[in-house]
Amino acid sequence: MLDLGIQKGSKDKSDEYNTKFLNQLEPGEEITGEIYVGEIKKRLIKKTDVNEFYIIITDHENKQKWICGFITSYYPKSGNIYGEKGGRVYNLIDSLNHALNKAPMNAQESYSVNFDTFRKTLNDSVENVKIKAVQSWNPGAKACNLEVVDAKNGSPVEKNETTGLEQLAQNEPVIKIAYDSLLSKDTEITKKNLAFELKAMLDNENINKSEFKEALHKIDKL
């Protein structure tokens, strides 16, 4: 059989998810799923430029996405965002710090946080979160604040490093060809090629984030 470059599960799956937004959450409602933090971008609101980032909570089991926007003070020179007590950004950071680091809640009057570090840590090392919608301190707010009730640290666990990648090679012909060639020191197949195929599998949701990271770690040691 000739390889035509067809990728398993290449269909765009985004339309399979029911997408909702922050202003559709009611106080006391809880959402659970994988967390992703987007980049900070400028947005025009009432002729004023503001800095905003989004977090996306994806419940893969129930095919549900929640898209939640956060307007924040942002200082490009330091790369820091700022949140005052009672605000939506403060509540998110404060409750995350409590859920992940067992820090007391509402102990600080404000937070100054390096956004790149914040974003990378959540996207790389935190898997599922449970978030509760809470009433905003601002009576004029059009949406709830978000309080992280629980967060699962997805840091890699020490395990047999050969299992994940070899298992993928057994199940996926393209991965097997690249893996076997790499083991035999075939100069035409590089680590970058294999990593690219793995990334395609991750994007198509054929493997999860932990399996992807484990496989990359194995490739680095080949």
Side-chain angles (χ1 to χ4, degrees):
M1 180 179 290
L2 295 177
D3 181 8
L4 300 178
I6 299 171
Q7 295 182 4
K8 178 182 175 183
S10 59
K11 178 185 175 184
D12 182 6
K13 300 181 180 180
S14 60
D15 59 350
E16 297 179 3
Y17 286 77
N18 181 26
T19 301
K20 294 186 178 181
F21 298 89
L22 179 61
N23 60 7
Q24 293 175 269
L25 280 171
E26 298 293 335
E29 191 173 353
E30 290 187 349
I31 57 177
T32 303
E34 181 182 82
I35 186 170
Y36 172 80
V37 182
E39 297 178 354
I40 285 186
K41 295 184 178 180
K42 284 194 177 293
R43 178 183 169 196
L44 190 65
I45 299 180
K46 295 181 180 179
K47 299 182 179 180
T48 302
D49 278 334
V50 298
N51 293 294
E52 184 177 39
F53 68 92
Y54 284 85
I55 67 167
I56 301 174
I57 308 299
T58 304
D59 182 346
H60 293 293
E61 182 177 348
N62 296 310
K63 300 295 184 181
Q64 175 73 63
K65 284 182 185 283
W66 291 95
I67 301 176
C68 307
F70 292 80
I71 294 173
T72 181
S73 299
Y74 175 63
Y75 304 93
K77 286 187 178 180
S78 63
N80 289 352
I81 59 174
Y82 181 78
E84 290 187 347
K85 197 169 190 176
R88 191 170 295 137
V89 172
Y90 178 99
N91 267 46
L92 176 69
I93 295 170
D94 190 56
S95 57
L96 270 168
N97 195 29
H98 174 71
L100 293 169
N101 299 323
K102 309 304 179 187
M105 293 182 65
N106 296 311
Q108 298 189 180
E109 290 301 313
S110 64
Y111 281 99
S112 183
V113 172
N114 183 272
F115 184 75
D116 285 346
T117 301
F118 173 76
R119 181 172 184 255
K120 179 175 175 55
T121 297
L122 290 182
N123 290 346
D124 291 353
S125 301
V126 177
E127 293 181 352
N128 279 23
V129 295
K130 178 188 286 186
I131 293 179
K132 180 172 66 175
V134 296
Q135 186 67 50
S136 172
W137 288 20
N138 179 0
K142 296 181 180 179
C144 295
N145 285 356
L146 298 182
E147 181 178 302
V148 179
V149 177
D150 189 30
K152 181 181 178 183
N153 189 332
S155 297
V157 177
E158 288 296 325
K159 58 176 75 174
N160 185 345
E161 294 176 354
T162 63
T163 304
L165 187 56
E166 289 179 352
Q167 184 65 46
L168 289 175
Q170 290 176 12
N171 297 333
E172 295 291 335
V174 175
I175 298 294
K176 179 170 177 54
I177 291 169
Y179 181 57
D180 289 347
S181 298
L182 195 58
L183 287 177
S184 65
K185 309 303 180 185
D186 189 331
T187 56
E188 293 182 4
I189 303 294
T190 66
K191 293 182 180 181
K192 186 175 181 180
N193 297 140
L194 186 50
F196 179 82
E197 296 295 344
L198 289 166
K199 181 63 168 60
M201 292 179 66
L202 176 66
D203 292 341
N204 290 323
E205 298 181 7
N206 294 322
I207 58 175
N208 60 38
K209 194 182 294 184
S210 295
E211 290 171 327
F212 176 66
K213 291 178 187 175
E214 181 186 344
L216 288 183
H217 183 61
K218 171 61 180 174
I219 291 171
D220 286 340
K221 295 203 167 188
L222 290 175

